[in-house]
Amino acid sequence: EAGVAQSPRYKIIEKRQSVAFWCNPISGHATLYWYQQILGQGPKLLIQFQNNGVVDDSQLPKDRFSAERLKGVDSTLKIQPAKLEDSAVYLCASSLGLAARSYNEQFFGPGTRLTVL
Amino acid sequence: AQTVTQSQPEMSVQEAETVTLSCTYDTSESNYYLFWYKQPPSRQMILVIRQEAYKQQNATENRFSVNFQKAAKSFSLKISDSQLGDTAMYFCAFGGAQKLVFGQGTRLTINP
């Protein structure tokens, strides 16, 4: 079974430029997550989708970050304009779906390392 | 809001030794899950072990086991017979209502 795919693996941009990341979840997984992992810290959830609807985007800086999941499969995360503090690894994860009384394991992709100069 | 604290930024042991990583958390929820994830230099987050809060028995997965103290809100990971491939960042995570909250991580180095 193929895992979660992300691209690109690395990206270097100047501040105030825009950048986009792509994620392809495991086939059949309804829930998709984007995390931001700053160096030396644990991942922080930015946004969670259930199919193509947003479940939680409370920690997404909406003035510069946007995300979409068209057709409930692939997802893109965009930053416009980028700031120096956006330098981080952006991780995508997917799980089978929301379950009321159990937990669906999240499977993570390899991440995209973003450097903002 | 839930918080997860890992008080050991770095640890180092010799191969074949046993090592214990500490984690404490804070929550008002009664039903939740706790996890330990491993993140090697490749950055891929790999689930090591999972504990359901309603289960009193501590979870084990081969060389990995946990000591879950619900009243103390403590969730430590024990790695027995450590191997060079265990070298990685280890993150403790709290899972409630489908949202994962991670600790800051412990960098574990296994020396030959």
Side-chain angles (χ1 to χ4, degrees):
Chain A
E1 179 180 274
V4 177
Q6 290 188 248
S7 68
R9 291 296 309 274
Y10 302 90
K11 188 73 177 179
I12 300 174
I13 61 172
E14 302 272 337
K15 60 182 179 183
R16 291 188 288 274
Q17 286 186 322
S18 63
V19 64
F21 313 126
W22 174 82
C23 173
N24 179 238
I26 293 173
S27 178
H29 280 194
T31 308
L32 185 146
Y33 312 79
W34 282 103
Y35 290 88
Q36 180 191 58
Q37 185 178 17
I38 293 172
L39 184 65
Q41 299 181 19
K44 180 185 79 173
L45 179 68
L46 290 177
I47 189 167
Q48 176 182 340
F49 292 94
Q50 172 77 357
N51 295 310
N52 60 351
V54 175
V55 174
D56 184 349
D57 63 357
S58 56
Q59 298 195 86
L60 186 74
K62 298 180 185 62
D63 58 333
R64 299 183 299 106
F65 286 64
S66 64
E68 60 181 8
R69 191 183 183 197
L70 300 176
K71 301 181 181 178
V73 182
D74 293 4
S75 178
T76 55
L77 176 69
K78 297 178 181 178
I79 307 175
Q80 181 179 9
K83 293 184 175 182
L84 296 177
E85 59 260 37
D86 298 332
S87 292
V89 173
Y90 290 85
L91 295 167
C92 179
S94 70
S95 67
L96 277 172
L98 293 176
R101 305 188 72 81
S102 65
Y103 192 89
N104 297 132
E105 180 180 344
Q106 293 187 27
F107 295 84
F108 286 81
T112 297
R113 181 180 296 279
L114 173 67
T115 301
V116 182
L117 303 176
Chain B
Q2 292 82 18
T3 58
V4 177
T5 303
Q6 293 179 248
S7 59
Q8 305 151 312
E10 295 188 31
M11 295 190 72
S12 178
V13 297
Q14 296 299 118
E15 191 176 8
E17 289 184 345
T18 294
V19 60
T20 299
L21 308 182
S22 301
C23 173
T24 58
Y25 61 95
D26 190 29
T27 184
S28 58
E29 297 185 28
S30 56
N31 295 319
Y32 53 89
Y33 293 76
L34 294 163
F35 308 85
W36 279 97
Y37 278 89
K38 171 184 177 181
Q39 188 177 42
S42 66
R43 301 199 303 265
Q44 191 94 31
M45 294 285 280
I46 302 164
L47 180 64
V48 174
I49 198 165
R50 178 177 75 184
Q51 174 78 43
E52 290 91 338
Y54 63 86
K55 288 187 177 179
Q56 292 185 329
Q57 186 172 5
N58 289 323
T60 62
E61 286 288 342
N62 300 314
R63 298 182 295 107
F64 300 88
S65 62
V66 299
N67 183 3
F68 174 47
Q69 302 290 326
K70 191 173 183 179
K73 295 180 179 174
S74 169
F75 182 61
S76 60
L77 174 69
K78 185 172 81 171
I79 306 175
S80 303
D81 187 26
S82 57
Q83 301 174 359
L84 296 179
D86 295 333
T87 292
M89 284 291 293
Y90 285 81
F91 291 96
C92 177
F94 172 96
Q98 297 296 319
K99 181 174 179 175
L100 278 179
V101 177
F102 288 85
Q104 296 99 323
T106 295
R107 182 177 303 280
L108 176 64
T109 302
I110 309 299
N111 299 307

